[in-house]
Amino acid sequence: MMNTQPIPPRFLIGGNAETLYAKALQRTAPNYRRELIRDSFGEDDVAYDFVDVADEQAPCVVLLHGLEGSSRSHYAVELMYAVQQMGWHGVVAHFRSCGGVPAKRLYHSGDTREVAHMLNVLAKRYAKIYAVGVSLGGNVLAKYLGEQGDLAIPCAAATVSAPFDLMASSRALESGLPCRLYTPYFLHTLLHKVPPTTQKFRSLAEFDNAFTAPLNGFVDKDDYYLKASSKPYLRDITIPTLLINAKNDPFVPQMSLPNVSDVSGSVQLLQPKHGGHVAFVSGSGRGHLRWLPETLLSWFKRQQK
């Protein structure tokens, strides 16, 4: 277990406060170079936003974003700036329908077919790839790594605030303050991506039951959560992988986090007390978002051979 701990400013108390405040520290996005590349079905265009450096042989850090995230999410912006400053290439590979590019198909939390396709596309361009999955993207990445084992493309990987047990995370967001704070935010954009409906949704679980599950071949939300969760695959990961989860994450209950018996010897757990959901605000004064990119890039540098 790594000992590095983000220490938030004193005025930030609790996982919800940390989660929401991180967006207030949002910087303007880097000057991305966008390419539209066909998805794994050859049907929809998806957005790949690149930050390029002069050294063609430099490694590339690939970021898979969270639910309804994009290259302009606060965590993507901070990581891509840090990657560029290090002299590495970076790319935010969007899931279908994200990044302002419409698509016919929905994406989902277990879509390892698409992740495999993305990494294969990028492996043809870069000699060395490191992969980061955030939230939903972290669950998909971890599942991909477990499925692929030694055939996984990245040299090393990391997940951030991944909901490895989708049922547990769904229940955490079904009621109380997390439901009131986050559900309207996600549903606002998700409902524009599915056929019009008169149904009123009170939770993401209801949306998943009505749309995500049936549109992706699952019986219902329970079948979807069971089959798409990455936790059973963590023992099969063979490349160096860091799993970062804050213990006060309002999306991911602490009791659902993996322990050393749930993972392979190639996996390292980092579960700090603070961090909220993909926030990890640190420092004094207003605080900053540097802890996460510094931790990720330090991990990747240690894995270089």
Side-chain angles (χ1 to χ4, degrees), residues 53-227:
V53 294
D55 182 3
E56 294 183 359
Q57 297 305 310
C60 179
V61 176
V62 181
L63 175 66
L64 305 175
H65 60 77
L67 181 65
E68 293 301 275
S70 75
S71 62
R72 300 189 178 276
S73 298
H74 64 277
Y75 53 84
V77 169
E78 291 302 318
L79 180 58
M80 289 299 110
Y81 273 128
V83 166
Q84 198 170 37
Q85 187 172 11
M86 183 177 284
W88 290 2
H89 301 283
V91 56
V92 180
H94 292 83
F95 292 108
R96 284 183 216 92
S97 78
C98 296
V101 180
K104 295 184 289 292
R105 287 180 182 265
L106 275 183
Y107 64 105
H108 65 87
S109 296
D111 195 359
T112 52
R113 171 190 174 127
E114 187 67 11
V115 169
H117 172 72
M118 291 171 168
L119 292 173
N120 274 299
V121 166
L122 295 167
K124 295 175 182 177
R125 304 187 183 195
Y126 302 102
K128 181 176 288 187
I129 286 178
Y130 298 119
V132 178
V134 174
S135 193
L136 175 148
N139 181 75
V140 186
L141 178 60
K143 185 170 180 283
Y144 160 85
L145 296 174
E147 289 173 348
Q148 295 296 318
D150 291 339
L151 299 178
I153 287 174
C155 299
T159 69
V160 180
S161 302
F164 304 107
D165 180 340
L166 294 172
M167 181 65 77
S169 290
S170 172
R171 288 172 177 162
L173 292 171
E174 277 192 270
S175 61
L177 191 58
C179 182
R180 294 196 299 273
L181 287 174
Y182 309 114
T183 297
Y185 172 80
F186 290 123
L187 289 178
H188 175 71
T189 52
L190 284 169
L191 286 169
H192 290 294
K193 299 180 178 182
V194 295
T197 177
T198 58
Q199 183 176 348
K200 301 297 182 182
F201 296 97
R202 295 169 296 177
S203 67
L204 287 173
E206 291 182 356
F207 177 88
D208 286 337
N209 202 57
F211 290 110
T212 312
L215 290 176
N216 289 288
F218 300 102
V219 176
D220 55 20
K221 64 177 177 60
D222 293 336
D223 183 51
Y224 165 47
Y225 295 152
L226 177 65
K227 293 177 179 176

Side-chain angles (χ1 to χ4, degrees), residues 4-9 12-23 25 74-75 134-135 160-162 182 244-252 254 257 270-283 288-293 295:
T4 309
Q5 298 281 330
I7 307 298
L12 280 184
I13 301 174
N16 287 310
E18 291 179 46
T19 301
L20 295 171
Y21 180 72
K23 295 183 181 298
L25 299 176
H74 64 277
Y75 53 84
V134 174
S135 193
V160 180
S161 302
Y182 309 114
I244 302 175
N245 291 88
K247 291 183 178 179
N248 67 346
D249 188 334
F251 290 45
V252 184
Q254 185 175 341
L257 295 179
L270 177 54
Q271 297 175 355
K273 179 180 179 180
H274 299 286
H277 189 73
V278 203
F280 302 100
V281 181
S282 190
H288 58 76
L289 299 176
R290 294 193 299 272
W291 182 88
L292 182 58
T295 300

